[in-house]
Amino acid sequence: MEMNNLVVLPIFVPLLTAVILMFISKKINIQRWISVGASLVTVMIAGLLVHHVSTDGIQTLDIGSWPAPFGITLVSDMLSSLLVLTTSIIGFAVILYSIYSIGEGREKHFYYPIVQFLIVGVNGAFTTGDIFNLFVFFEVMLMASYVLLVLGGTKIQLRETIKYLTVNVISSSLFVIAVAYLYSIVGTLNMAHISQRIGLLEEIPGILTVIAILFLIVFGLKGAIFPLYFWLPGSYYAPPVPVMTLLGALLTKVGIYSIARTYSLFFYHDQSYTHDLLLVLAVVTVLIGVVGSIAYWDIKKIIIYNIITAIGVILYGISVATTTSMTGSVYYLIHDMIIKAALFLLIGIIVNITGTSNLKKFHGLINDYPVLAWVYFIAAISLAGIPPFSGFVGKWLVIQGGMERGELIGSVIILLTSLLVLYSVMKIFIYGFWGGKDQDYPDQHSISYNKLLIPAILLTVIAVLYGFGSEFVYSYVAQAVDTLMNPEIYIEAVLKE
């Protein structure tokens, strides 16, 4: 098999799986194990792809043998292949978790095929080298997320899905308009070709900055940056935990990836305006997220607001746009995807045991569930960025990059808010796990406790290894950042010039 075909497999395998699963919707047991098996295969292919990109450079595949920029090109550079691997691992863990928690009612209504379609959309968005196809994969991902959000049909799900749908229909319309404007200036949709054409323009038209802001609004809505985050806390709160995990760990990150890709490839001409605006929005996003995570006593809401904080931190690194800060952002992006997924799954187990997500209604869980308590503790300090865990390296590089560029205020705010992030997740440990037991909890067998704990432990272990093995990971991250900081590497690989 040609190695180039590896590029398409992380999209093709989940797609094929989804189609097969739709034909056996009544055979739930078979669906479960096909899903688990296919997800494991996707993880292995994604791992092979990362290795292949690290040794042989950027991989491209021209669909239908039409050469770029005329045909549709899939591009796997190190950034996209690392994100595809992370997505596949999270997908695998969530499917394992879903088997014991999502319930047969949802499983009968195409739950597993829809999860696979979601992974098709996410992996496709990370891999496409064509701006219009980025829109197409966004839509695949969003269609799947609409179904997952509403599956089960509780009142809160229906209410939040309508809000989520409305926001995304508007942002998708804006996306098409932005792509059309961009096409009218450069006459191409291939991302590498767009970058090349913009580079050849003698005078950069002002409309390009307007388009840059349009794209920022589109991706900002998907990625939930200030002031476009308003839909996220409610929408992510409504569905069951496995769905919340997929949406929280993956969907917002596709928006962030899109900002990183377009702002390094196309919109580098007016950085004093575009990147400075992004920087201000990033810092405010961090503050909003932190305030929310401290204010709530609902364990789901605490972790949901921590998504917003992390988005701000990653965007801050992208907006500072030095090699150090960009390295920090890529590092932190992958860390955050894994650790958020782990925390959501752990929170799901707590809700399963106690029957509530209100932190004031349960105490002393550590007496009956010590393993859960200490796994949560490790995940929490990892999220907060306590050295040497995975959150530390990325956040420190982002802050260092900001300091190098003289952005002292933003860097200090991110440093100080780390303490508040630690407080917000430790609040769950101190109030929920610590102290004497105030009630009897169900025994471990009645709630599939061990089976639910395995995927959460798997993700937490990966996060810990990611932190402790940061030197090993560094060469991969550096290669990913190299393409972002030097777009010509990407252009040459795609256009083969």
Side-chain angles (χ1 to χ4, degrees):
M1 187 177 102
E2 274 189 47
M3 277 303 181
N4 277 20
N5 293 347
L6 271 178
V7 175
V8 76
L9 285 178
I11 304 166
F12 179 72
V13 172
L15 180 62
L16 183 65
T17 311
V19 173
I20 292 168
L21 291 174
M22 287 181 83
F23 286 106
I24 51 168
S25 61
K26 298 290 175 275
K27 298 185 171 70
I28 291 171
N29 251 342
I30 300 172
Q31 277 202 70
R32 289 169 176 169
W33 297 115
I34 290 178
S35 289
V36 169
S39 301
L40 200 52
V41 170
T42 313
V43 171
M44 292 187 263
I45 292 166
L48 261 176
L49 185 60
V50 169
H51 171 70
H52 192 49
V53 172
S54 76
T55 50
D56 300 342
I58 297 173
Q59 299 300 305
T60 63
L61 181 67
D62 299 323
I63 305 292
S65 299
W66 282 84
F70 306 108
I72 293 167
T73 308
L74 298 176
V75 186
S76 271
D77 63 350
M78 187 48 82
L79 177 62
S80 74
S81 55
L82 282 173
L83 292 175
V84 164
L85 176 60
T86 312
T87 301
S88 306
I89 291 168
I90 291 166
F92 171 68
V94 170
I95 287 168
L96 265 185
Y97 188 93
S98 300
I99 291 172
Y100 302 103
S101 73
I102 198 76
E104 280 200 13
R106 289 187 173 90
E107 287 177 315
K108 280 178 185 162
H109 289 92
F110 303 101
Y111 172 76
Y112 294 111
I114 298 298
V115 169
Q116 296 290 344
F117 276 124
L118 185 85
I119 291 167
V120 170
V122 174
N123 283 350
F126 288 145
T127 309
T128 183
D130 179 289
I131 192 77
F132 186 75
N133 275 292
L134 181 63
F135 166 75
V136 172
F137 281 119
F138 257 108
E139 290 307 301
V140 172
M141 177 181 87
L142 288 169
M143 291 293 172
S145 69
Y146 299 151
V147 180
L148 287 173
L149 261 180
V150 83
L151 205 58
T154 60
K155 191 176 173 185
I156 179 175
Q157 280 180 286
L158 293 168
R159 188 182 70 230
E160 291 302 335
T161 305
I162 291 168
K163 188 164 76 178
Y164 179 77
L165 223 155
T166 311
V167 165
N168 279 299
V169 166
I170 293 166
S171 89
S172 294
S173 312
L174 279 175
F175 199 162
V176 177
I177 292 165
V179 169
Y181 270 129
L182 189 59
Y183 184 78
S184 71
I185 291 172
V186 291
T188 181
L189 293 169
N190 182 291
M191 291 196 206
H193 203 213
I194 292 170
S195 183
Q196 190 186 51
R197 288 267 175 100
I198 290 172
L200 293 174
L201 291 173
E202 287 176 17
E203 190 182 331
I204 300 291
I207 186 78
L208 208 57
T209 306
V210 176
I211 294 167
I213 301 304
L214 255 180
F215 272 110
L216 182 59
I217 293 169
V218 170
F219 299 141
L221 264 168
K222 314 276 190 204
I225 65 175
F226 175 84
L228 307 167
Y229 70 92
F230 57 89
W231 57 270
L232 183 138
S235 298
Y236 284 11
Y237 187 83
V241 167
V243 176
M244 188 196 296
T245 307
L246 283 172
L247 302 185
L250 302 179
L251 261 62
T252 47
K253 306 307 185 291
V254 179
I256 302 307
Y257 161 81
S258 305
I259 291 173
R261 181 68 80 198
T262 52
Y263 268 54
S264 60
L265 208 53
F266 315 155
F267 305 125
Y268 48 77
H269 55 279
D270 191 7
Q271 288 200 357
S272 62
Y273 184 79
T274 52
H275 285 59
D276 286 4
L277 174 66
L278 188 56
L279 189 137
V280 173
L281 294 178
V283 173
V284 180
T285 305
V286 170
L287 291 171
I288 294 276
V290 166
V291 169
S293 62
I294 295 171
Y296 282 98
W297 283 84
D298 186 300
I299 56 177
K300 287 188 192 172
K301 282 271 167 74
I302 291 170
I303 307 297
I304 287 169
Y305 272 95
N306 271 309
I307 297 175
I308 298 171
T309 310
I311 286 160
V313 173
I314 298 161
L315 278 179
Y316 181 74
I318 293 167
S319 66
V320 169
T322 65
T323 305
T324 311
S325 72
M326 205 64 108
T327 307
S329 282
V330 172
Y331 230 102
Y332 201 78
L333 175 60
I334 295 167
H335 143 81
D336 193 64
M337 289 168 78
I338 297 167
I339 206 68
K340 282 292 190 313
L343 279 166
F344 275 125
L345 295 185
L346 289 163
I347 292 264
I349 299 170
I350 298 171
V351 174
N352 211 358
I353 293 166
T354 60
T356 177
S357 58
N358 185 341
L359 193 48
K360 293 182 174 174
K361 290 188 175 171
F362 60 91
H363 306 286
L365 279 179
I366 197 166
N367 298 294
D368 287 351
Y369 298 94
V371 178
L372 175 65
W374 292 114
V375 172
Y376 175 82
F377 180 79
I378 291 165
I381 58 176
S382 200
L383 174 78
I386 304 296
F389 289 96
S390 55
F392 172 72
V393 183
K395 196 172 272 189
W396 181 247
L397 286 169
V398 166
I399 293 166
Q400 197 183 329
M403 295 284 193
E404 282 170 12
R405 229 193 81 177
E407 297 291 348
L408 292 178
I409 297 172
S411 298
V412 169
I413 286 173
I414 286 175
L415 193 59
L416 293 177
T417 51
S418 298
L419 296 171
L420 298 174
V421 168
L422 179 64
Y423 165 72
S424 74
V425 283
M426 274 299 141
K427 188 162 79 172
I428 298 174
F429 187 75
I430 293 161
Y431 288 93
F433 286 106
W434 218 238
K437 232 177 25 162
D438 60 345
Q439 56 186 292
D440 286 325
Y441 297 110
D443 78 328
Q444 302 189 1
H445 299 295
S446 65
I447 54 162
S448 309
Y449 168 72
N450 292 334
K451 290 166 182 170
L452 291 176
L453 201 54
I454 289 166
I457 290 176
L458 172 73
L459 289 173
T460 309
V461 167
I462 291 170
V464 169
L465 291 175
Y466 182 66
F468 281 87
S470 53
E471 285 189 22
F472 169 73
V473 179
Y474 190 81
S475 61
Y476 292 95
V477 174
Q479 197 177 332
V481 172
D482 202 24
T483 318
L484 286 175
M485 297 306 291
N486 305 296
E488 59 275 6
I489 301 172
Y490 184 90
I491 295 166
E492 281 168 23
V494 177
L495 302 179
K496 301 180 176 58
E497 292 178 350

